[in-house]
Amino acid sequence: VSFSQFGYQQSGSASASFTGIAGALGTVLSPHFAIEVRAGVGLDDDQITVGASPATVELDAYFSGLLKGILPLAPRFGIYGVAGATIGKFAAESNGLYVERWESDFTYGAGAEFGFAPNMSLGLEWLRMLEGSGYRLDAASLAFNFRF
């Protein structure tokens, strides 16, 4: 389970930030390689100004498939890089007009994970989740991982 702070930036407007929660399933294929799928939802929204109009933006949901390269630095600590793809559903409302849109893009990032028990760990991660024409979505996350 991870808790994320998302940063949404759109050219020509102020940035927005919102929080989210996600779950992940994956498998470690070797000490240096893993795969994961993630699904998450946004928990709130934020306001930006587009031109002269205020707009409320939010990330409704997202799904990611990631490959993870792991560099173990100690028996219970490692750093990693991830790359894959994300599809996310955005919603925006301005002056009574409501728009929903799915976006997808290449995703990449890096993180660190500390195992505090044989099957539990805490992780910190930064991701560039989506980037398109005039916008980008980044996430900084704190994760609690349970291996079964």
Side-chain angles (χ1 to χ4, degrees):
V1 174
S2 65
F3 298 93
S4 301
Q5 181 67 37
F6 296 100
Y8 175 81
Q9 297 177 339
Q10 185 171 325
S11 62
S13 68
S15 61
S17 63
F18 28 87
T19 56
I21 188 169
L25 288 175
T27 187
V28 176
L29 300 173
S30 77
H32 301 285
F33 188 70
I35 57 173
E36 290 183 359
V37 293
R38 300 179 185 181
V41 295
L43 298 176
D44 60 0
D45 55 32
D46 199 2
Q47 293 224 338
I48 61 173
T49 302
V50 180
S53 300
T56 301
V57 294
E58 64 183 311
L59 176 64
D60 285 340
Y62 69 90
F63 305 94
S64 300
L66 301 169
L67 301 175
K68 181 188 277 189
I70 306 164
L71 179 60
L73 299 176
R76 292 188 180 213
F77 178 75
I79 59 175
Y80 61 87
V82 293
T86 295
I87 182 170
K89 182 182 177 186
F90 289 97
E93 182 180 5
S94 179
N95 296 325
L97 178 64
Y98 183 79
V99 177
E100 291 181 338
R101 182 174 178 166
W102 286 94
E103 296 284 343
S104 61
D105 197 20
F106 176 70
T107 299
Y108 61 92
E113 191 170 343
F114 172 72
F116 59 89
N119 61 342
M120 291 182 265
S121 66
L122 288 176
L124 289 172
E125 180 179 83
W126 173 86
L127 284 179
R128 169 72 40 92
M129 294 182 68
L130 297 166
E131 186 171 22
S133 179
Y135 78 92
R136 73 173 183 240
L137 179 70
D138 297 329
S141 302
L142 173 64
F144 171 76
N145 303 305
F146 179 79
R147 291 177 175 79
F148 50 93

